[in-house]
Amino acid sequence: MSDATAAPGESGLRYLTIGHRLRRVVDDAMTAGGLSLARTKVLRVLDRRGAVRQTSLAADLGQAPRSVTQAVEALEREGLVERAADPDDGRSKLVSLTPQGAAALAAGTAAGERILREVFGAMGPERLADVDGLLDAIEAGLAAATPGHEAGPPLTRAS
């Protein structure tokens, strides 16, 4: 039930709480499918961009290079990614998705999308369009409130 007189802070905290719950549910479903949401994000960048330097991967993910190095090392141990010397700079490593990583990405993504379809599909097209408009407004407000901060990875919308 919504309150038309809700204060911005209260609405913001409610949004953060619901977002956290949704993220946890999606992550749990993806993890049960074999790949956490955090690991899926790494593999998605590699799937989209191909072989990239770890520093570029860290920038794409908005994470510290050391954190990405640890994630890549774990993914490499499981055979989901591979690292090779960058032919243009022997000090750098290129990270790429393996066929096993592509299969894990597909399975993890399907599990997460199933949950998102259940949650957002239940709204129907009109309410979903309303949510999309509200998310645009939140994104614009965030950009205005945080000048100089980089936006997250670009989000794509299904056609």
Side-chain angles (χ1 to χ4, degrees):
M1 179 181 298
S2 69
D3 180 356
T5 61
E10 292 170 8
S11 293
L13 287 174
R14 183 171 181 221
Y15 169 81
L16 291 172
T17 300
I18 292 169
H20 178 75
R21 284 179 51 208
L22 178 60
R23 181 182 179 95
R24 192 173 61 238
V25 168
V26 168
D27 187 50
D28 288 349
M30 293 176 81
T31 299
L35 197 62
S36 71
L37 180 58
R39 293 162 50 110
T40 297
K41 288 179 180 182
V42 173
L43 298 184
R44 285 183 78 173
V45 170
L46 296 173
D47 186 52
R48 185 179 73 244
R49 294 200 50 210
V52 296
R53 288 183 180 175
Q54 287 185 198
T55 54
S56 296
L57 182 58
D60 281 4
L61 294 167
Q63 295 181 3
R66 183 67 194 142
S67 296
V68 171
T69 298
Q70 291 171 340
V72 167
E73 287 172 350
L75 291 166
E76 185 178 38
R77 281 191 299 273
E78 294 180 32
L80 303 179
V81 302
E82 58 188 9
R83 293 187 292 178
D86 183 341
D88 298 328
D89 180 356
R91 298 169 297 165
S92 296
K93 297 274 188 181
L94 291 177
V95 183
S96 60
L97 192 62
T98 65
Q100 184 180 346
L105 175 60
T109 299
E113 286 177 354
R114 186 185 74 252
I115 295 295
L116 293 173
R117 276 192 309 274
E118 287 179 33
V119 172
F120 289 94
M123 293 180 193
E126 189 173 305
R127 289 192 106 179
L128 195 55
D130 290 342
V131 168
D132 201 40
L134 291 171
L135 291 172
D136 287 343
I138 291 168
E139 199 167 38
L142 182 59
T146 58
H149 284 83
E150 298 215 10
L155 300 176
T156 58
R157 292 185 183 161
S159 321

